[in-house]
Coordinates of all heavy atoms in Angstrom, one line a residue:
M893 N 99.4 92.7 126.7 CA 100.2 93.9 126.3 C 99.9 94.9 127.3 O 98.7 95.0 127.7 CB 100.0 94.1 125.0 CG 100.5 95.5 124.5 SD 100.1 95.9 122.9 CE 100.9 97.5 122.7
T894 N 100.9 95.5 128.0 CA 100.7 96.5 128.9 C 101.2 97.9 128.2 O 102.3 98.0 127.8 CB 101.5 96.2 130.1 OG1 101.0 95.0 130.7 CG2 101.2 97.2 131.3
V895 N 100.4 98.9 128.4 CA 100.9 100.3 128.1 C 100.7 101.2 129.2 O 99.6 101.4 129.8 CB 100.0 100.8 126.8 CG1 100.4 102.1 126.4 CG2 100.1 99.8 125.6
G896 N 101.8 101.7 129.8 CA 101.7 102.4 131.0 C 101.2 101.3 132.2 O 101.9 100.3 132.3
S897 N 100.1 101.6 132.8 CA 99.6 100.7 133.8 C 98.3 99.9 133.3 O 97.6 99.4 133.9 CB 99.2 101.6 135.0 OG 98.2 102.4 134.8
T898 N 98.0 100.2 132.0 CA 96.9 99.5 131.3 C 97.2 98.2 130.6 O 98.1 98.3 129.8 CB 96.0 100.6 130.4 OG1 95.8 101.8 131.0 CG2 94.8 100.1 129.9
V899 N 96.3 97.3 130.9 CA 96.6 96.0 130.3 C 95.5 95.7 129.2 O 94.4 96.1 129.3 CB 96.5 94.9 131.3 CG1 96.6 93.5 130.6 CG2 97.4 94.9 132.4
F900 N 96.1 95.3 128.1 CA 95.3 95.1 126.9 C 95.3 93.7 126.4 O 96.5 93.1 126.7 CB 95.8 95.9 125.6 CG 95.5 97.5 125.9 CD1 96.5 98.2 126.4 CD2 94.4 98.1 125.5 CE1 96.4 99.6 126.6 CE2 94.2 99.6 125.6 CZ 95.2 100.1 126.2
T901 N 94.4 93.1 125.8 CA 94.4 91.7 125.2 C 94.4 92.0 123.8 O 93.5 92.4 123.2 CB 93.1 90.9 125.7 OG1 93.1 90.8 127.0 CG2 93.1 89.6 125.1
V902 N 95.5 91.5 123.1 CA 95.6 91.6 121.7 C 96.0 90.3 121.1 O 96.6 89.5 121.6 CB 96.8 92.6 121.4 CG1 96.4 94.0 121.9 CG2 98.1 92.2 121.8
E903 N 95.4 90.2 119.9 CA 95.8 88.9 119.1 C 96.9 89.6 118.2 O 97.1 90.8 117.8 CB 94.6 88.6 118.2 CG 93.5 88.0 119.0 CD 92.2 87.7 118.0 OE1 92.4 87.1 117.0 OE2 91.2 88.4 118.5
V904 N 97.8 88.8 117.6 CA 99.0 89.1 116.8 C 98.8 88.3 115.4 O 98.5 87.1 115.3 CB 100.2 88.5 117.4 CG1 101.4 89.0 116.5 CG2 100.5 89.2 118.7
A905 N 98.6 89.3 114.3 CA 98.6 88.6 113.0 C 99.8 88.8 112.4 O 100.3 90.0 112.0 CB 97.5 89.6 112.3
R906 N 100.6 87.6 112.3 CA 102.0 87.7 111.7 C 101.9 87.1 110.2 O 102.9 87.6 109.6 CB 102.7 86.6 112.5 CG 103.2 87.1 113.9 CD 104.2 86.1 114.6 NE 104.6 86.6 115.8 CZ 103.9 86.5 116.9 NH1 102.8 85.8 117.1 NH2 104.5 87.0 118.1
T907 N 101.1 86.2 109.8 CA 101.0 85.7 108.6 C 100.2 86.5 107.5 O 99.3 87.3 108.1 CB 100.5 84.2 108.4 OG1 99.2 84.4 108.8 CG2 101.3 83.4 109.5
E908 N 100.3 86.5 106.3 CA 99.5 87.2 105.3 C 98.0 86.8 105.5 O 97.2 87.7 105.6 CB 100.0 86.8 103.9 CG 99.3 87.6 102.9 CD 99.8 87.5 101.5 OE1 100.8 87.0 101.3 OE2 99.0 87.9 100.5
A909 N 97.8 85.5 105.7 CA 96.3 85.2 105.9 C 95.8 85.7 107.1 O 94.6 86.2 107.1 CB 96.3 83.6 106.0
Q910 N 96.5 85.8 108.2 CA 96.0 86.3 109.5 C 95.7 87.9 109.3 O 94.7 88.4 109.7 CB 97.0 86.2 110.6 CG 96.9 84.7 111.1 CD 98.2 84.5 112.1 OE1 99.3 85.2 112.0 NE2 98.1 83.6 112.9
R911 N 96.7 88.4 108.6 CA 96.5 89.9 108.4 C 95.4 90.3 107.4 O 94.6 91.2 107.7 CB 97.8 90.6 107.8 CG 98.9 90.6 108.9 CD 100.2 91.4 108.4 NE 100.8 90.8 107.1 CZ 101.9 89.9 107.1 NH1 102.5 89.7 108.3 NH2 102.4 89.6 106.0
E912 N 95.1 89.5 106.6 CA 94.0 89.7 105.4 C 92.7 89.5 106.2 O 91.7 90.2 106.0 CB 94.2 88.7 104.4 CG 95.0 88.9 103.3 CD 95.1 88.0 102.1 OE1 94.4 86.9 102.1 OE2 96.0 88.1 101.4
R913 N 92.5 88.5 107.1 CA 91.3 88.3 107.9 C 91.2 89.4 109.0 O 90.0 89.9 109.2 CB 91.3 86.9 108.5 CG 90.1 86.7 109.3 CD 89.5 85.3 109.2 NE 88.5 85.0 110.1 CZ 87.2 85.2 109.6 NH1 87.0 85.4 108.5 NH2 86.1 84.9 110.5
G914 N 92.2 89.7 109.6 CA 92.2 90.8 110.6 C 91.0 90.6 111.6 O 90.9 89.5 112.2
L915 N 90.2 91.5 111.7 CA 89.0 91.7 112.6 C 87.7 91.3 112.0 O 86.7 91.8 112.5 CB 89.1 92.7 113.6 CG 90.2 92.9 114.6 CD1 90.5 94.2 115.1 CD2 90.2 91.8 115.5
M916 N 87.9 90.9 110.7 CA 86.5 90.7 109.9 C 85.4 89.9 110.8 O 85.9 88.9 111.4 CB 86.8 90.1 108.6 CG 87.5 91.0 107.6 SD 88.1 90.2 106.1 CE 86.7 89.8 105.3
H917 N 84.2 90.2 110.7 CA 83.1 89.5 111.0 C 82.9 89.5 112.6 O 82.2 88.7 113.0 CB 83.2 88.0 110.6 CG 83.1 87.8 109.1 ND1 82.2 88.3 108.3 CD2 84.2 87.6 108.2 CE1 82.5 88.1 107.0 NE2 83.6 87.7 106.9
R918 N 83.8 90.3 113.3 CA 83.6 90.3 114.7 C 82.4 91.3 115.0 O 82.4 92.3 114.5 CB 84.9 91.0 115.3 CG 86.2 90.4 115.0 CD 86.2 89.0 115.8 NE 87.5 88.3 115.3 CZ 88.6 88.4 116.1 NH1 88.8 89.1 117.1 NH2 89.7 87.7 115.7
R919 N 81.5 90.8 115.8 CA 80.4 91.6 116.2 C 80.7 92.7 117.3 O 80.1 93.6 117.4 CB 79.3 90.6 116.7 CG 78.6 89.8 115.6 CD 77.8 90.8 114.6 NE 77.6 90.0 113.5 CZ 77.4 90.5 112.2 NH1 77.6 91.8 112.1 NH2 77.1 89.8 111.3
S920 N 81.7 92.4 118.0 CA 82.1 93.2 119.2 C 83.7 93.1 119.4 O 84.2 92.2 119.0 CB 81.3 93.0 120.3 OG 81.7 91.8 120.9
L921 N 84.2 94.1 120.1 CA 85.5 94.2 120.5 C 85.6 95.1 121.8 O 85.1 96.1 121.8 CB 86.4 94.8 119.3 CG 87.9 94.7 119.5 CD1 88.3 93.2 119.5 CD2 88.6 95.4 118.4
G922 N 86.2 94.5 122.8 CA 86.2 95.3 124.0 C 87.1 96.5 123.9 O 87.9 96.4 123.1
S923 N 86.8 97.5 124.8 CA 87.7 98.6 124.8 C 89.1 98.5 125.1 O 89.9 99.3 124.7 CB 87.0 99.6 125.8 OG 87.4 99.1 127.1
R924 N 89.5 97.3 125.6 CA 91.0 97.0 125.8 C 91.3 95.8 125.1 O 92.2 95.1 125.6 CB 91.2 96.9 127.3 CG 91.1 98.3 128.0 CD 91.7 98.2 129.4 NE 91.7 99.6 129.9 CZ 90.9 100.0 130.8 NH1 89.8 99.2 131.1 NH2 90.8 101.3 131.2
E925 N 90.7 95.6 123.8 CA 91.0 94.5 123.0 C 91.5 95.0 121.7 O 91.2 96.0 121.3 CB 89.9 93.5 122.9 CG 89.4 92.8 124.0 CD 88.2 92.0 123.9 OE1 87.4 92.2 123.0 OE2 88.1 91.0 124.6
G926 N 92.4 94.2 120.9 CA 92.8 94.6 119.6 C 93.6 93.6 118.9 O 93.6 92.4 119.4
M927 N 94.3 94.0 117.9 CA 95.2 93.2 117.1 C 96.3 93.9 116.7 O 96.3 95.1 116.3 CB 94.4 92.7 115.8 CG 95.1 91.7 114.9 SD 94.1 91.0 113.6 CE 93.3 89.7 114.6
L928 N 97.5 93.3 116.8 CA 98.7 93.8 116.3 C 99.0 93.1 114.8 O 99.0 91.8 114.9 CB 99.8 93.4 117.2 CG 99.9 94.2 118.6 CD1 101.0 93.7 119.5 CD2 99.8 95.7 118.5
F929 N 99.3 93.9 113.9 CA 99.7 93.4 112.8 C 101.1 93.5 112.5 O 101.7 94.7 112.5 CB 99.0 94.3 111.5 CG 97.6 94.0 111.4 CD1 96.7 94.5 112.3 CD2 97.0 93.2 110.6 CE1 95.4 94.5 112.3 CE2 95.6 93.0 110.4 CZ 94.8 93.5 111.3
V930 N 101.8 92.4 112.3 CA 103.4 92.4 112.3 C 103.9 92.2 110.8 O 103.3 91.3 110.2 CB 103.9 91.3 113.2 CG1 105.4 91.2 113.2 CG2 103.4 91.4 114.6
F931 N 104.8 93.1 110.4 CA 105.3 93.1 109.1 C 106.8 93.0 109.3 O 107.4 93.4 110.2 CB 105.0 94.3 108.3 CG 103.5 94.3 108.1 CD1 102.7 95.1 109.0 CD2 102.9 93.8 106.9 CE1 101.2 95.1 108.7 CE2 101.5 93.8 106.8 CZ 100.7 94.4 107.6
D932 N 107.6 92.4 108.4 CA 108.9 92.1 108.2 C 109.7 93.5 108.1 O 111.0 93.4 108.6 CB 109.3 91.2 107.3 CG 108.9 89.8 107.5 OD1 108.6 89.4 108.7 OD2 108.6 89.1 106.5
A933 N 109.2 94.4 107.5 CA 110.0 95.7 107.2 C 109.0 96.9 107.3 O 107.9 96.8 107.2 CB 110.5 95.6 105.7
D934 N 109.6 98.1 107.5 CA 108.9 99.3 107.6 C 108.4 99.6 106.1 O 109.1 99.4 105.1 CB 109.9 100.4 108.1 CG 110.2 100.4 109.5 OD1 109.6 99.6 110.2 OD2 111.1 101.1 109.9
Q935 N 107.2 100.0 106.1 CA 106.5 100.3 104.9 C 105.3 101.0 105.1 O 104.8 101.1 106.1 CB 106.1 99.0 104.0 CG 105.4 97.9 104.8 CD 105.3 96.7 104.2 OE1 105.0 96.5 103.0 NE2 105.7 95.7 104.9
R936 N 104.8 101.7 103.9 CA 103.6 102.5 104.0 C 102.5 101.5 103.6 O 102.7 100.7 102.6 CB 103.6 103.6 103.0 CG 104.4 104.7 103.4 CD 103.8 106.1 102.9 NE 104.6 107.2 103.4 CZ 104.3 107.9 104.4 NH1 103.1 107.5 105.2 NH2 104.9 108.9 104.9
L937 N 101.4 101.4 104.3 CA 100.4 100.3 104.2 C 99.0 101.0 104.1 O 98.8 102.1 104.6 CB 100.5 99.4 105.3 CG 101.8 98.6 105.4 CD1 101.8 97.8 106.7 CD2 101.9 97.5 104.3
A938 N 98.1 100.2 103.5 CA 96.7 100.7 103.6 C 95.9 99.5 104.1 O 96.3 98.3 103.9 CB 96.2 100.9 102.1
F939 N 95.0 99.8 104.9 CA 94.1 98.8 105.6 C 92.6 99.1 105.2 O 92.2 100.2 104.9 CB 94.1 98.9 107.1 CG 95.5 98.4 107.6 CD1 96.6 99.4 107.5 CD2 95.7 97.1 108.0 CE1 97.9 98.9 108.0 CE2 96.9 96.7 108.5 CZ 98.1 97.6 108.5
W940 N 91.8 98.0 105.1 CA 90.4 98.1 104.7 C 89.6 97.5 105.9 O 90.1 96.8 106.7 CB 90.0 97.5 103.5 CG 90.2 95.9 103.5 CD1 89.3 95.1 103.7 CD2 91.4 95.2 103.1 NE1 89.8 93.8 103.6 CE2 91.2 93.8 103.2 CE3 92.7 95.6 102.7 CZ2 92.0 92.8 102.9 CZ3 93.6 94.5 102.3 CH2 93.2 93.2 102.5
M941 N 88.4 97.8 105.9 CA 87.4 97.5 106.9 C 86.2 96.6 106.3 O 85.2 96.5 106.9 CB 86.7 98.7 107.6 CG 87.7 99.6 108.3 SD 88.2 98.8 110.0 CE 86.7 99.2 110.9
K942 N 86.6 95.8 105.3 CA 85.6 95.0 104.5 C 85.1 93.9 105.6 O 85.9 93.3 106.4 CB 86.3 94.3 103.5 CG 85.3 93.3 102.8 CD 86.0 92.5 101.6 CE 85.1 91.6 100.8 NZ 84.4 90.7 101.6
D943 N 83.7 93.8 105.7 CA 83.1 92.9 106.6 C 83.5 93.0 108.1 O 83.5 92.1 108.9 CB 83.4 91.4 106.3 CG 82.8 91.1 104.8 OD1 81.8 91.6 104.6 OD2 83.6 90.4 104.1
T944 N 83.8 94.3 108.5 CA 84.2 94.6 109.8 C 83.2 95.6 110.3 O 83.2 96.8 109.9 CB 85.5 95.2 110.0 OG1 86.6 94.4 109.4 CG2 85.9 95.5 111.4
P945 N 82.1 95.2 111.0 CA 80.9 95.9 111.3 C 81.2 97.0 112.4 O 80.4 98.0 112.5 CB 79.9 95.0 111.8 CG 80.7 93.8 112.3 CD 82.0 93.7 111.5
G946 N 82.1 97.0 113.1 CA 82.4 98.1 114.1 C 83.4 99.0 113.9 O 84.4 98.7 113.1
A947 N 83.3 100.2 114.2 CA 84.3 101.2 113.9 C 85.6 100.8 114.8 O 85.4 100.5 115.9 CB 83.8 102.7 114.3
L948 N 86.7 101.2 114.2 CA 88.0 101.0 114.9 C 88.9 102.1 114.6 O 88.7 102.8 113.8 CB 88.6 99.7 114.3 CG 87.8 98.4 114.3 CD1 88.7 97.3 113.6 CD2 87.8 97.9 115.8
S949 N 90.0 102.2 115.5 CA 91.1 103.1 115.3 C 92.3 102.3 115.0 O 92.5 101.2 115.7 CB 91.2 104.0 116.4 OG 90.2 104.9 116.7
I950 N 93.1 102.7 114.2 CA 94.3 102.0 113.9 C 95.5 103.0 114.2 O 95.6 104.1 114.0 CB 94.4 101.6 112.4 CG1 95.6 100.8 112.1 CG2 94.3 102.8 111.5 CD1 95.6 100.2 110.8
A951 N 96.5 102.3 115.0 CA 97.7 103.1 115.4 C 98.9 102.5 114.6 O 99.0 101.3 114.5 CB 97.9 103.0 116.9
F952 N 99.6 103.4 114.0 CA 100.9 103.0 113.3 C 102.1 103.2 114.3 O 102.2 104.3 114.9 CB 101.0 103.9 112.0 CG 99.9 103.4 111.0 CD1 98.8 104.2 111.0 CD2 100.2 102.4 110.1 CE1 97.8 104.0 110.0 CE2 99.0 102.1 109.1 CZ 98.1 102.9 109.1
L953 N 102.9 102.2 114.4 CA 104.0 102.2 115.5 C 105.4 102.2 114.8 O 105.6 101.5 113.8 CB 103.8 101.0 116.5 CG 102.6 100.9 117.2 CD1 102.6 99.5 118.0 CD2 102.2 101.9 118.1
S954 N 106.4 102.8 115.4 CA 107.6 102.8 115.1 C 108.2 101.3 115.4 O 107.5 100.7 116.3 CB 108.5 103.9 115.7 OG 108.6 103.6 117.1
P955 N 109.4 101.0 115.0 CA 110.0 99.8 115.4 C 110.2 99.7 116.9 O 110.2 98.6 117.6 CB 111.2 99.7 114.6 CG 111.2 100.6 113.4 CD 110.1 101.6 113.8
E956 N 110.3 101.0 117.6 CA 110.6 101.0 119.0 C 109.2 100.9 119.7 O 109.2 100.9 121.0 CB 111.2 102.2 119.4 CG 112.7 102.3 118.7 CD 112.6 102.8 117.2 OE1 111.7 103.5 116.9 OE2 113.6 102.3 116.6
G957 N 108.1 100.9 119.2 CA 106.7 100.9 119.7 C 106.1 102.2 120.0 O 105.2 102.3 120.6
R958 N 106.7 103.4 119.4 CA 106.2 104.7 119.7 C 105.1 104.9 118.6 O 105.3 104.4 117.5 CB 107.3 105.7 119.5 CG 106.9 107.1 119.7 CD 108.1 108.1 119.6 NE 108.8 107.9 118.5 CZ 108.7 108.6 117.4 NH1 107.8 109.5 117.3 NH2 109.5 108.5 116.3
I959 N 103.9 105.4 119.1 CA 102.8 105.7 118.1 C 103.2 106.8 117.2 O 103.5 108.0 117.7 CB 101.5 105.9 118.9 CG1 101.1 104.7 119.8 CG2 100.4 106.4 118.1 CD1 100.0 105.0 120.7
L960 N 103.1 106.5 116.0 CA 103.4 107.6 115.0 C 102.2 108.3 114.4 O 102.3 109.6 114.1 CB 104.3 107.1 113.8 CG 105.6 106.1 114.1 CD1 106.0 105.5 112.9 CD2 106.6 107.2 114.6
Q961 N 101.1 107.5 114.3 CA 99.9 108.1 113.7 C 98.7 107.3 114.2 O 98.8 106.0 114.3 CB 100.0 108.1 112.2 CG 98.9 108.5 111.4 CD 99.1 108.6 109.8 OE1 100.2 108.3 109.5 NE2 98.1 108.6 109.1
I962 N 97.6 107.9 114.4 CA 96.4 107.2 114.6 C 95.2 107.6 113.7 O 95.2 108.8 113.3 CB 95.8 107.4 116.1 CG1 97.0 107.0 117.2 CG2 94.5 106.8 116.2 CD1 96.5 107.3 118.5
E963 N 94.6 106.6 113.0 CA 93.5 107.0 112.2 C 92.2 106.3 112.5 O 92.3 105.1 112.9 CB 93.9 106.4 110.7 CG 95.1 107.2 110.1 CD 94.7 108.6 109.7 OE1 93.6 108.9 109.5 OE2 95.7 109.4 109.7
D964 N 91.0 106.9 112.5 CA 89.6 106.2 112.8 C 89.3 105.6 111.5 O 89.2 106.4 110.4 CB 88.8 107.4 113.3 CG 89.2 107.9 114.6 OD1 89.8 107.1 115.4 OD2 88.9 109.1 114.9
M965 N 88.9 104.4 111.5 CA 88.3 103.7 110.4 C 86.8 103.5 110.5 O 86.2 103.3 111.5 CB 89.0 102.2 110.5 CG 90.6 102.2 110.7 SD 91.4 102.8 109.2 CE 91.2 101.4 108.2
E966 N 86.2 103.7 109.3 CA 84.7 103.5 109.1 C 84.4 102.1 108.9 O 85.0 101.4 108.1 CB 84.2 104.4 108.1 CG 84.4 105.9 108.3 CD 83.6 106.4 109.3 OE1 82.4 106.0 109.6 OE2 84.1 107.3 110.0
P967 N 83.4 101.6 109.7 CA 82.8 100.3 109.6 C 82.5 100.0 108.0 O 81.9 100.8 107.3 CB 81.6 100.0 110.4 CG 81.7 101.3 111.3 CD 82.5 102.3 110.6
L968 N 82.7 98.7 107.7 CA 82.4 98.2 106.4 C 82.8 98.9 105.2 O 82.2 99.0 104.1 CB 80.8 98.1 106.3 CG 80.2 97.2 107.4 CD1 78.7 97.1 107.4 CD2 80.6 95.7 107.4
S969 N 83.9 99.5 105.4 CA 84.4 100.4 104.2 C 85.8 99.7 103.7 O 86.4 98.9 104.3 CB 84.9 101.8 104.7 OG 85.9 101.8 105.7

């Protein structure tokens, strides 16, 4: 995935099982690595950090890919 001139390596979580697992049990994540969570419809969602030892930031995107909101997530919460 490319944003501007920066290239990111992202996994895509399309299924419910993939979204439930997310980035759990990962010991590290590179500064340009991440995961996209894909949903069928726009909706308000909650995310948890169960068994996720590293701090993460989550960005909520519009259908057009515009960042609407960014939240910092606490490890293991």
Side-chain angles (χ1 to χ4, degrees):
M893 173 178 172
T894 303
V895 178
S897 62
T898 305
V899 177
F900 296 87
T901 301
V902 297
E903 298 174 50
V904 179
R906 286 187 177 89
T907 68
E908 185 174 344
Q910 290 170 329
R911 291 188 298 260
E912 284 178 7
R913 178 145 178 91
L915 294 168
M916 291 170 69
H917 306 290
R918 303 284 176 100
R919 292 288 171 214
S920 65
L921 191 65
S923 64
R924 291 193 173 99
E925 295 178 330
M927 180 173 278
L928 292 175
F929 291 77
V930 178
F931 295 90
D932 293 331
D934 291 348
Q935 55 191 305
R936 288 211 176 266
L937 298 165
F939 289 82
W940 67 86
M941 295 283 288
K942 181 181 184 301
D943 298 324
T944 306
L948 299 173
S949 294
I950 184 170
F952 295 89
L953 306 177
S954 72
E956 297 79 29
R958 186 171 52 94
I959 296 174
L960 301 173
Q961 179 180 346
I962 297 174
E963 295 289 334
D964 294 325
M965 308 287 285
E966 293 295 322
L968 304 171
S969 65

